[in-house]
Amino acid sequence: MKHKKVVSVVALLGGCAAYWYVSSEPAPTLAQVDTSVQAAIATSSSKVVKPMAPKQVTIKETLPESMSERFSLLAQAYAKELSLPAYSLPIGVDDVHILNPNRYVSQPVLLEGGASASIIMPQYRFSFPQPVTIMLEVNGLTATEVSASIYSEMDAGAERLAEADMALDGDGKWTVRLDATPQWDGPMAVNVTFSAKGKKQTLTTGIEYSYPTATVTGVGAVHAEGHDMVIPVKLEVEKAGYYRLRANLYAANQQPVALLTQSEKLSEGSAEITLKAYKGVLPDQDGEFTLGSFVLERRPAVPGELTRYGSSNEPSYNLGEFAVQQLSDEPWQPDEQEMQRLEFLQKMANE
């Protein structure tokens, strides 16, 4: 989140610099003077004329009203972001992409005569040795000779990693389950081929498949620390590196509360990442909480390296009862750099 804020401000500065450069008036050119006129003036005048001191001209650049308004809107948006810590952001039932971060979004493909076909999958990201279940739904056509195959996107010329015929299930969908092999690693292409009205059709989609570089194994004792609810998350790390952990905090009845994020450099073996939930996003009353929807990423160490993913032994962990009222009412304070960026935006907006 912080990096995103920095990029936004830098991009805006570049845009403003370009605007001022283009909108500035061109520098005046020196006028061409007739030399004969210069000579006449020199011979006809016997008096010495003192040259006049040049006038001091002050040029003040002003932002157009529309530009000032844009800075004002950006300053307001940034101030709103700074009202809460980036490590603990509120979420609700409408934040579907956050509540289910590994959701596969099916995209229907239109065919001739108003027919359509779509690939349906239970998730987008898989960890070895999870099998991959592929489904095909066809509307407006009768499909035959339906099959599915998987290829590695890292090597376009490589042979298919798996292939099998698909069978029609009771819901009218064609389905197949492909079991993983050790060669499944990285981004992969899923192809589904079928025949209809004498034509062969092929649909393609993409998934991520990898060996888990770390695994969430449980949570430690939850406790209060100032205005934060502190949640130690235990991991077993297979490959050392810089990790980012995201997880959703839920209250009773799986009511979404907050998206919690933390990054740490981890060594191989047993490790721990501490997540924090700010009091300002928690319910007013005490209650039981659950942590789930984990996304564990090992960030690239060098350009060109792939992001690797971890997994969790359980989809969620019960945190037990927590007394929210024991947390401090002290408001969260942005750091010095964030405040300087906000002050700059407000200054540019003439606020």
Side-chain angles (χ1 to χ4, degrees):
M1 181 69 71
K2 291 186 179 180
H3 296 301
K4 181 179 179 181
K5 297 174 187 172
V6 174
V7 172
S8 300
V9 174
V10 172
L12 186 54
L13 286 176
C16 291
Y19 175 84
W20 291 331
Y21 177 81
V22 173
S23 63
S24 299
E25 294 183 359
T29 57
L30 295 175
Q32 300 294 324
V33 181
D34 192 335
T35 56
S36 63
V37 176
Q38 287 179 318
I41 293 174
T43 56
S44 63
S45 177
S46 59
K47 296 181 180 180
V48 177
V49 180
K50 295 181 179 180
M52 296 179 63
K55 294 182 179 180
Q56 298 295 325
V57 180
T58 302
I59 300 176
K60 183 179 180 181
E61 293 282 1
T62 58
L63 286 174
E65 184 177 351
S66 60
M67 184 67 71
S68 179
E69 289 175 353
R70 292 176 185 175
F71 271 109
S72 180
L73 291 174
L74 184 57
Q76 294 173 24
Y78 191 60
K80 185 177 180 181
E81 286 186 3
L82 294 184
S83 64
L84 293 171
Y87 61 77
S88 175
L89 298 177
I91 57 175
V93 293
D94 294 329
D95 295 312
V96 179
H97 62 293
I98 297 177
L99 297 176
N100 190 359
N102 198 16
R103 181 171 66 107
Y104 176 84
V105 180
S106 179
Q107 298 291 337
V109 177
L110 295 179
L111 305 175
E112 293 181 5
S116 66
S118 56
I119 296 175
I120 302 172
M121 304 188 71
Q123 60 196 61
Y124 167 73
R125 192 177 301 112
F126 298 82
S127 294
F128 188 84
Q130 286 180 313
V132 175
T133 299
I134 306 168
M135 290 177 284
L136 172 70
E137 183 175 39
V138 181
N139 293 310
L141 284 176
T142 300
T144 59
E145 301 176 357
V146 184
S147 64
S149 57
I150 288 182
Y151 297 79
S152 170
E153 290 189 349
M154 301 295 293
D155 186 357
E159 297 182 357
R160 64 181 67 91
L161 299 175
E163 183 179 27
D165 294 333
M166 302 179 71
L168 195 61
D169 63 18
D171 296 327
K173 297 182 179 66
W174 295 85
T175 306
V176 69
R177 176 180 131 159
L178 300 178
D179 293 325
T181 66
Q183 289 74 33
W184 291 24
D185 190 31
M188 301 171 70
V190 176
N191 290 353
V192 174
T193 303
F194 63 93
S195 297
K197 291 187 175 181
K199 293 184 178 180
K200 195 172 185 179
Q201 309 276 359
T202 299
L203 305 184
T204 302
T205 190
I207 61 172
E208 290 278 352
Y209 204 100
S210 65
Y211 288 83
T213 56
T215 304
V216 175
T217 58
V219 294
V222 180
H223 60 279
E225 188 176 291
H227 50 47
D228 289 326
M229 172 185 181
V230 179
I231 309 168
V233 180
K234 299 178 180 180
L235 305 101
E236 193 65 32
V237 180
E238 299 293 334
K239 190 171 184 179
Y242 190 75
Y243 283 84
R244 180 175 68 175
L245 175 64
R246 289 177 289 171
N248 295 336
L249 182 68
Y250 300 90
N253 301 320
Q254 286 298 294
Q255 181 67 28
V257 174
L259 169 64
L260 310 182
T261 306
Q262 188 58 267
S263 298
E264 294 284 351
K265 186 175 182 181
L266 303 178
S267 301
E268 292 183 7
S270 298
E272 187 174 280
I273 291 182
T274 300
L275 297 178
K276 297 180 180 180
Y278 174 55
K279 183 178 181 180
V281 304
L282 296 175
D284 294 333
Q285 70 277 8
D286 303 341
E288 290 195 357
F289 292 88
T290 303
L291 190 69
S293 304
F294 297 98
V295 178
L296 181 59
E297 303 167 277
R298 182 183 181 274
R299 314 306 298 276
V302 295
E305 185 179 18
L306 294 175
T307 298
R308 296 293 182 174
Y309 294 89
S311 59
S312 177
N313 285 342
E314 300 292 339
S316 63
Y317 293 92
N318 185 11
L319 304 181
E321 188 86 13
F322 183 79
V324 176
Q325 298 305 318
Q326 67 180 310
L327 298 177
S328 167
D329 291 326
E330 179 185 359
W332 178 79
Q333 294 293 333
D335 63 32
E336 183 178 351
Q337 288 185 342
E338 289 172 327
M339 290 304 299
Q340 287 176 351
R341 296 186 197 111
L342 177 60
E343 290 171 3
F344 169 79
L345 293 174
Q346 292 173 338
K347 181 179 179 181
M348 298 302 294
N350 298 320
E351 294 182 354

